[in-house]
Amino acid sequence: MKFRDGMWLVAEGMRVEYAEDVYTTTEKKNGLSLLCPTKHVRSRGDTLNLSTLTIDIEATADGVLSVESTHWAGALNRGPHYELYPAGKPETEAKISKSDQGTTLQSGSIASTIHPDQHTFDISFHSSDGKKQLTSLQTRSVGLAYSPAPSTPMQTEDMRNFKHYIFNQTTLGVGESVHGLGERFGAFNKVGQSVALWNADGGTSSDQVYKNVPFWMSSRGYGIFIDTPRKVEMEIGSERCCRVQTSVEGQRLKWYIIYGPTPKEVLYRYSLLTGKPGKVPSWSFGLWLTTSFTTNYNEGTVNSFLEGMKARGSPVDVFHYDCFWMKAFTWTDFVFDAEMFPDPKGQITRLKASGLCQKVCVWINPYIAQHGEAFKKAAEMGYLLKRKNGDVWQWDLWQAGMGLVDITNPEACAWYAECLNALFDKGVDALKTDFGERIPTTDVQWHDNSVDPEKMHNYYAFAYNKLVYEALQKRYGNDEAVLFARTATAGCQRFPLQWGGDCESTAEAMAESVRGGLSLGLSGFGFWSADIGGFEGYPPPWIYKRWVAFGLLCSHSRLHGSNSYRVPWTIDNDDNTEQGCSRTLARWTALKTRLMPYLFAQAQVSVESGVPLSLRAMCLEFPNDPTSWYLDRQFMIGDSLLAAPIFEESGEVEFYLPKGKWTSFFTNEVKTGPGWFKEKHGFGTLPLYVKEDTVLVLGKAKQQGAVYDYCQDVEVCLYETKPGAKTTLVGKDGKTVGVLEVGEDGDLKSTDILKGDWSSGQKKIRSDEAFESL
């Protein structure tokens, strides 16, 4: 939303009024309240016939300040509201001081100073020690706007004919970059972009995204969370090149500024505000295989897939039944298609008993088709969203006559959870919560009539995924619940995990997916996946194999397609050579399995810190390297492994190594950064580099499945380590077992926690054994 036409003119049809003065500054509990007229007040007469904005700045936690701008305070502030500080609000002490520099409010490590001159509108945000300037609100940065522009204030007697906006503009420093805002598939640095935070089913090749998160991170060491689920429109250096503009329709706008100073500390404080990532069980890190979307399958097909995967060296940990486990026109009624699956409980039991998979997932969504068994009861009982005239809200987009579960109705939620329990009774362990983006906002009446329909559009993702996640927790335990969710908003990191939605089977779409995963990770989400091979279309073998290498280095790895299968032998006519799809998938699956001691330990760090496991943006580990803020074709896996996917059929790739020594996992070649490097790879390798001073624990070779004893028969590899280098080992339950540390002699100090036939040494993976040992 642009309110101006360039520097000098107001946009056509707009009336814009800016806070010009800080007329009074009033101390209140935990903060300051600023009365800001929209023109300079130089005489008593100037206080008449003008609007004011109230700006409330409060200390909310160490390193966190909230800022709220309000025009008319009498406007209702209808829910839903984000659940903030879900684990409990930390105590904080607001410190207010005055000097010739102005009035300063301090909240731990962050402070805000209001300029002492009433007529100089300047609110700065900085570190409490004054050494770091973060951003500021300067002249013409806080305001309100009407559309269309009223010709007289008398017209605002009836606001039904006008739209009213509140906006803030924070300054952008020279060279400052902006990242996050959810799973965005466009340019990694958002400066120069117009962004609308509005969940939509737009695939991965458009500016529409499934997961809009009103949080962004700056390269200057701070982040901003916009505290509203309503539609937020942002101009990030795109209306004024030196400012980030945030606007909402309404009478108030509240946001939080979070100081790091490092990006990891920003994410940690943000995770306290909106919730830490939920824990994910070790089995979820294994290979997932789906039936794909519109493909034809039955029990025999499922068995043949799993048997074929096992025979080709890629055993499946989780098998997923996509939509057509139910009959056409009946989604979602929670009833297995009796013709294709006459004995679903028995089939699932047999699959697990045979060892062909460990867990089973099925596809669900909150849309209830008119022709399914669930619709009649849900409609009769009032469990579906209604129109204002009392009709059930329905349309024919996606499913014929579908309704939408009214997530504000506690009885509807209880009914939906009962439906899920019936699936759990059949042996279902995890749920893919698809859709939830196309939530209507007009001509709707929610069961809870106090909610704002516009806010419900984005918030629905939170409420729906929370409902399903908590049903899983109740059945299987707090740390065993796993979703595969497509839509999300702030706080949904509490309900892992998420995947990247409908991508095409192209190199460009793979790059889009990388950018989406990086951006979501910088929005507080710990775990993420993408459809290996691409969802839409038919991937050529080289795309499939390059995507396999990328996908098995994501925190979670799933093979999934739309109208074609993703089992490897269907991609290349069952090429059984070393360069074929089946052998390539087997190698990368084996590598991820061996990495599980490292990955699962790093996963626990992600849960506690709010930092993503993989894809982890380079800037999180190397914030002082300016290049790291622009790297969108590579990522960190935890804090010690760097991976660069390959997007060329030829295997050529260019990547960047930050300062220090980096050892190729596959060849043991040591490169020294900072610098750009070019390599060429077959399908069995890619640039996978280990950071110096790393103690890397690998599971034993030939290990099958993601769940095993991560201390038994392991290989401990030391990469350019110095005394004091250490790593933490966890059990398959995620609990800490102990720490391995390098002593003064360059070897491990204590190895009591290791069991069986384990080994250690400098860079134990040799180039001639790179995959033979897997």
Side-chain angles (χ1 to χ4, degrees):
M1 174 69 69
K2 289 183 170 68
F3 296 104
R4 298 196 68 84
D5 179 6
M7 282 283 290
W8 316 120
L9 304 177
V10 175
E12 184 176 353
M14 288 282 184
R15 176 178 175 84
V16 184
E17 301 175 12
Y18 299 97
E20 298 281 5
D21 273 8
V22 178
Y23 186 70
T24 59
T25 300
T26 304
E27 295 186 17
K28 61 176 188 176
K29 183 179 180 181
N30 291 331
L32 301 169
S33 184
L34 316 180
L35 177 60
C36 304
T38 55
K39 72 176 184 181
H40 292 303
V41 175
R42 304 185 187 280
S43 69
R44 287 186 171 185
D46 290 336
T47 62
L48 304 175
N49 299 316
L50 83 161
S51 59
T52 61
L53 286 147
T54 302
I55 303 175
D56 293 304
I57 308 174
E58 293 187 2
T60 63
D62 179 16
V64 184
L65 291 168
S66 69
V67 182
E68 184 171 28
S69 305
T70 306
H71 180 204
W72 290 336
L76 294 176
N77 188 14
R78 303 172 69 186
H81 305 289
Y82 285 126
E83 294 182 3
L84 301 185
Y85 294 113
K89 190 177 183 303
E91 293 185 7
T92 188
E93 180 183 358
K95 296 182 179 179
I96 299 172
S97 60
K98 295 182 179 180
S99 70
D100 56 1
Q101 301 297 314
T103 302
T104 297
L105 168 65
Q106 179 183 340
S107 183
S109 61
I110 193 173
S112 178
T113 298
I114 293 85
H115 197 282
D117 179 12
Q118 169 189 330
H119 304 307
T120 301
F121 191 89
D122 187 346
I123 305 171
S124 67
F125 300 92
H126 52 87
S127 60
S128 293
D129 60 13
K131 295 180 179 180
K132 178 75 171 179
Q133 177 66 29
L134 305 178
T135 188
S136 61
L137 298 169
Q138 297 183 349
T139 180
R140 289 191 168 185
S141 63
V142 179
L144 60 100
Y146 295 97
S147 177
S151 58
T152 169
M154 292 288 288
Q155 290 179 294
T156 61
E157 173 195 9
D158 185 354
M159 285 297 294
R160 291 174 298 178
N161 298 321
F162 297 94
K163 289 186 175 182
H164 182 283
Y165 301 92
I166 294 284
F167 62 87
N168 286 181
Q169 293 180 346
T170 54
T171 54
L172 271 175
V174 176
E176 184 175 357
S177 56
V178 169
H179 308 269
L181 293 172
E183 183 190 57
R184 315 204 80 81
F185 304 104
F188 181 50
N189 177 14
K190 305 303 184 287
V191 174
Q193 298 182 35
S194 298
V195 173
L197 300 177
W198 190 248
N199 284 358
D201 179 3
T204 69
S205 294
S206 75
D207 61 350
Q208 296 181 6
V209 300
Y210 306 104
K211 306 172 187 66
N212 286 275
V213 180
F215 171 78
W216 55 270
M217 181 180 291
S218 164
S219 59
R220 291 177 67 89
Y222 69 94
I224 286 183
F225 170 64
I226 306 152
D227 185 17
T228 178
R230 70 165 57 249
K231 186 176 186 178
V232 178
E233 297 192 79
M234 303 191 66
E235 300 294 337
I236 308 170
S238 49
E239 177 170 307
R240 291 204 64 184
C241 298
C242 56
R243 293 183 180 181
V244 177
Q245 177 174 281
T246 303
S247 64
V248 296
E249 185 178 352
Q251 296 290 341
R252 56 176 61 84
L253 171 60
K254 187 173 185 178
W255 47 276
Y256 292 76
I257 181 167
I258 305 167
Y259 178 47
T262 68
K264 280 188 175 182
E265 289 171 297
V266 172
L267 280 184
Y268 173 72
R269 288 182 168 129
Y270 173 72
S271 74
L272 296 178
L273 180 63
T274 61
K276 293 183 177 182
K279 287 189 175 181
V280 281
S282 52
W283 57 260
S284 70
F285 287 82
L287 182 62
W288 293 51
L289 174 68
T290 87
T291 58
S292 292
F293 169 34
T294 61
T295 53
N296 189 34
Y297 65 93
N298 56 21
E299 182 170 350
T301 311
V302 172
N303 289 342
S304 70
F305 281 173
L306 292 172
E307 288 166 357
M309 293 289 284
K310 185 175 182 178
R312 290 168 176 82
S314 297
V316 171
D317 282 78
V318 185
F319 187 78
H320 168 72
Y321 294 81
D322 217 55
C323 316
F324 277 99
W325 64 272
M326 297 172 284
K327 280 184 174 291
F329 293 111
T330 70
W331 308 342
T332 298
D333 69 352
F334 308 99
V335 178
F336 274 84
D337 183 341
E339 294 180 13
M340 296 295 188
F341 305 102
D343 180 22
K345 182 176 181 178
Q347 182 196 1
I348 292 172
T349 300
R350 290 189 291 273
L351 284 178
K352 293 179 180 179
S354 69
L356 290 175
C357 70
Q358 305 303 314
K359 303 289 183 179
V360 166
C361 175
V362 298
W363 176 97
I364 61 170
N365 71 113
Y367 305 150
I368 310 297
Q370 178 172 286
H371 301 287
E373 291 190 18
F375 183 89
K376 183 176 181 181
K377 179 177 181 179
E380 288 178 351
M381 299 301 293
Y383 296 160
L384 302 177
L385 178 65
K386 294 183 178 179
R387 298 188 185 274
K388 291 180 179 178
N389 67 1
D391 292 347
V392 171
W393 179 90
Q394 293 178 267
W395 66 9
D396 293 324
L397 185 62
W398 180 243
Q399 289 288 287
M402 54 158 271
L404 177 68
V405 175
D406 188 338
I407 209 77
T408 71
N409 183 346
E411 294 182 2
C413 293
W415 165 77
Y416 198 85
E418 287 178 11
C419 296
L420 300 182
N421 274 312
L423 295 178
F424 304 153
D425 290 340
K426 291 179 173 65
V428 172
D429 306 281
L431 295 166
K432 174 180 171 182
T433 50
D434 205 353
F435 288 91
E437 300 92 3
R438 294 170 177 162
I439 307 301
T441 59
T442 58
D443 191 28
V444 293
Q445 180 60 60
W446 294 89
H447 173 80
D448 180 354
N449 59 18
S450 70
V451 302
D452 181 340
E454 184 187 330
K455 289 183 178 180
M456 283 300 300
H457 176 88
N458 283 347
Y459 190 82
Y460 194 92
F462 178 87
Y464 174 60
N465 284 302
K466 182 181 182 183
L467 166 63
V468 178
Y469 189 75
E470 289 182 345
L472 282 161
Q473 285 184 311
K474 186 175 181 180
R475 184 59 171 260
Y476 295 118
N478 286 347
D479 298 338
E480 288 290 316
V482 178
L483 302 182
F484 224 86
R486 190 173 77 171
T487 188
T489 187
C492 284
Q493 68 269 14
R494 294 162 52 190
F495 321 125
L497 58 110
Q498 286 71 30
W499 103 96
D502 299 345
C503 48
E504 297 173 318
S505 298
T506 64
E508 291 79 10
M510 185 163 64
E512 291 163 5
S513 295
V514 172
R515 295 193 296 267
L518 291 171
S519 291
L520 192 66
L522 288 179
S523 305
F525 286 69
F527 308 102
W528 181 86
S529 181
D531 289 342
I532 295 176
F535 176 72
E536 296 287 354
Y538 301 83
W542 79 268
I543 288 286
Y544 181 89
K545 289 182 282 189
R546 296 300 183 196
W547 210 313
V548 160
F550 159 51
L552 268 296
L553 294 176
C554 297
S555 76
H556 290 76
S557 307
R558 184 182 71 155
L559 294 158
H560 183 58
S562 179
N563 54 1
S564 60
Y565 302 124
R566 289 293 178 265
V567 287
W569 57 91
T570 65
I571 305 296
D572 62 0
N573 198 27
D574 204 10
D575 178 354
N576 60 8
T577 67
E578 287 299 305
Q579 295 296 307
C581 290
S582 292
R583 185 57 188 145
T584 299
L585 177 61
R587 286 177 167 181
W588 287 102
T589 302
L591 173 60
K592 186 171 187 181
T593 301
R594 287 208 74 190
L595 286 171
M596 275 303 296
Y598 170 77
L599 293 174
F600 203 47
Q602 290 285 311
Q604 312 317 310
V605 176
S606 293
V607 169
E608 289 304 314
S609 66
V611 174
L613 171 58
S614 177
L615 285 54
R616 182 180 297 184
M618 298 294 297
C619 56
L620 285 171
E621 294 298 329
F622 306 96
N624 296 322
D625 184 336
T627 302
S628 72
W629 291 91
Y630 296 90
L631 298 172
D632 62 1
R633 297 192 303 277
Q634 62 186 72
F635 52 89
M636 296 294 292
I637 307 163
D639 57 24
S640 296
L641 297 181
L642 181 154
I646 299 172
F647 304 99
E648 300 291 338
E649 185 173 5
S650 66
E652 294 174 301
V653 59
E654 187 174 16
F655 58 97
Y656 178 82
L657 296 177
K659 183 179 179 181
K661 291 183 179 180
W662 296 84
T663 304
S664 169
F665 182 85
F666 296 113
T667 70
N668 282 336
E669 179 185 1
V670 177
K671 288 183 166 72
T672 301
W676 287 91
F677 300 88
K678 291 183 178 181
E679 293 180 355
K680 187 172 182 177
H681 289 259
F683 295 113
T685 59
L686 53 61
L688 181 63
Y689 279 82
V690 187
K691 188 173 66 173
E692 65 180 329
D693 218 27
T694 291
V695 179
L696 181 64
V697 179
L698 300 174
K700 67 180 179 181
K702 311 299 183 182
Q703 175 68 48
Q704 299 252 322
V707 183
Y708 57 93
D709 189 335
Y710 303 137
C711 299
Q712 177 88 29
D713 301 333
V714 297
E715 187 172 16
V716 183
C717 305
L718 309 181
Y719 288 89
E720 305 292 336
T721 53
K722 298 184 291 291
K726 63 181 65 176
T727 192
T728 299
L729 277 179
V730 301
K732 58 188 177 183
D733 58 1
K735 295 180 180 178
T736 298
V737 175
V739 176
L740 294 176
E741 183 175 351
V742 176
E744 292 297 326
D745 60 356
D747 212 343
L748 298 176
K749 289 171 58 176
S750 175
T751 58
D752 294 344
I753 61 175
L754 300 180
K755 297 180 288 185
D757 184 18
W758 62 270
S759 61
S760 71
Q762 298 287 334
K763 298 177 289 191
K764 292 292 289 187
I765 300 298
R766 297 183 297 276
S767 61
D768 60 340
E769 298 178 352
F771 272 121
E772 286 77 357
S773 64
L774 299 178

